[in-house]
Amino acid sequence: LVIAVGCLAAAYGASCGVAGWAGYRAPQRSVRVPRLASWQEKGEFILKVLQRRSKEKLLDAIQNFKEVELRDGVASVDFGVKGGELDKKSRAPRNLAADGAFFRISEDLGRSANRILGLVRDLERAEKCRGALRYFGTADGALCPLNGTWRLLFTTAADATFSRNSTRGGAAVSNIVDAVAGTITNCIDFEPREDGKSPTLEQLRVRLTAQAESDVRLVLAFRYVKAQLTRLFGIPLGRRRVTVKLPVPAPLITRIRSIFNRKPPPKPYFDLLYLDNTLRVHRTGEGNIFVQGKVVD
């Protein structure tokens, strides 16, 4: 169990999402054109219109992807390399789109995923994320649009993909960003088993610290993982729970390998492609895409 927890925490990285998200369709609104004084203002207005329309198309495409996924199935991912969670060579989270996993489920699911990725590229071209991380890690961090709780709407990362047709089971995954403290907490809450009983590993909390390296890049450092268990040494705990705090093994293993390879260990990070008060799109250092929706209180 400890090995499984360590593998999941190490692979999870900067991932966050919700496996069973029901979907969200953006409301269609008419565009009201204000009076603009300069060509610069006109250009900025047109850019905002294009961004909003690209965002609406992206959310609609994700809704379609979820509908096809419910009909045709979800990619089954288990722990480690053998389970398809990690790439065999790099040991990084496997990219389900690049690996063709969506097309192996069905042609419709693969095409739907490709449409999402195309719309992400369109949104990236229209958005520069200027100053998005200006207040991150400062006393004014609450002003940073990244601050808050986020749920994943779509991802290509295998380590953030959970389904009931795997030994890992289904899970609801969220991501809490504290832009004042400069921390990120990845939360994984595993679903009850088919018989209604709670799984042995009920909950994971992976704590990371983050530092803004540029307007769009956050460099991450793993700190620890907390695992909430419903059984201890095979003995059910009833309503009680035991929380075990563990170090994240991936950074240590990477450092040891770098000594022998004589290469500096890579820094985990993600780049923001789009960010506003309700939607966040980022790309990890391994090239995986995440589209996330903000949880509004």
Side-chain angles (χ1 to χ4, degrees):
L1 176 60
V2 171
I3 294 174
V5 170
C7 289
L8 180 59
Y12 185 57
S15 309
C16 55
V18 170
W21 178 68
Y24 170 76
R25 190 177 298 275
Q28 302 295 320
R29 298 181 182 136
S30 60
V31 178
R32 184 177 180 182
V33 181
R35 289 188 177 182
L36 302 172
S38 67
W39 284 107
Q40 181 179 355
E41 288 180 344
K42 291 178 181 178
E44 290 175 353
F45 174 75
I46 292 173
L47 184 61
K48 289 180 180 179
V49 171
L50 292 175
Q51 287 173 355
R52 194 179 77 186
R53 288 180 175 174
S54 296
K55 177 180 174 180
E56 291 171 352
K57 288 180 180 179
L58 177 60
L59 292 171
D60 285 343
I62 293 173
Q63 173 66 20
N64 176 259
F65 177 86
K66 293 296 180 182
E67 292 171 356
V68 176
E69 201 173 43
L70 287 173
R71 185 194 69 195
D72 297 347
V74 182
S76 178
V77 179
D78 283 313
F79 293 108
V81 174
K82 291 184 178 180
E85 182 183 34
L86 305 178
D87 181 79
K88 186 177 181 179
K89 294 182 179 180
S90 65
R91 293 300 194 272
R94 186 166 62 99
N95 189 313
L96 297 177
D99 191 54
F102 296 129
F103 276 101
R104 285 196 292 273
I105 298 295
S106 74
E107 193 75 17
D108 287 346
L109 191 65
R111 286 198 297 265
S112 182
N114 283 347
R115 172 163 172 73
I116 291 172
L117 296 177
L119 290 169
V120 165
R121 288 191 290 270
D122 292 342
L123 199 59
E124 180 185 4
R125 283 193 289 266
E127 174 61 53
K128 299 303 181 184
C129 291
R130 299 184 186 91
L133 300 175
R134 180 184 306 163
Y135 299 108
F136 188 88
T138 70
D140 296 322
L143 299 175
C144 177
L146 194 62
N147 190 66
T149 301
W150 299 83
R151 293 179 179 176
L152 190 67
L153 311 184
F154 172 82
T155 184
T156 62
D159 63 321
T161 301
F162 295 86
S163 62
R164 292 186 176 183
N165 62 339
S166 66
T167 56
R168 297 198 305 179
V173 187
S174 59
N175 176 277
I176 303 172
V177 179
D178 186 339
V180 177
T183 63
I184 298 176
T185 304
N186 294 327
C187 309
I188 309 173
D189 297 286
F190 290 93
E191 298 174 357
R193 300 183 312 211
E194 291 184 359
D195 58 6
K197 295 182 180 180
S198 298
T200 301
L201 178 58
E202 188 176 52
Q203 188 182 94
L204 280 176
R205 297 291 183 265
V206 183
R207 175 61 65 88
L208 307 94
T209 53
Q211 185 175 3
E213 192 174 75
S214 68
D215 280 350
V216 298
R217 176 168 294 185
L218 274 184
V219 177
L220 309 170
F222 292 91
R223 295 308 177 189
Y224 60 82
V225 56
K226 287 185 177 181
Q228 182 172 290
L229 309 176
T230 62
R231 292 170 178 260
L232 191 61
F233 303 112
I235 302 174
L237 300 175
R239 294 184 178 181
R240 292 179 297 172
R241 298 291 184 268
V242 171
T243 300
V244 181
K245 186 176 180 179
L246 302 167
V248 181
L252 177 60
I253 295 173
T254 302
R255 289 193 190 100
I256 293 173
R257 291 178 65 183
S258 68
I259 292 174
F260 290 100
N261 296 335
R262 296 183 179 181
K263 294 181 180 179
K267 293 181 179 179
Y269 68 89
F270 66 76
D271 290 330
L272 290 169
L273 307 182
Y274 180 85
L275 179 66
D276 64 19
N277 292 326
T278 61
L279 189 71
R280 162 184 163 193
V281 183
H282 75 252
R283 181 190 297 113
T284 68
E286 296 84 17
N288 279 306
I289 295 293
F290 292 85
V291 183
Q292 298 163 294
K294 199 166 194 177
V295 178
V296 181
D297 294 335

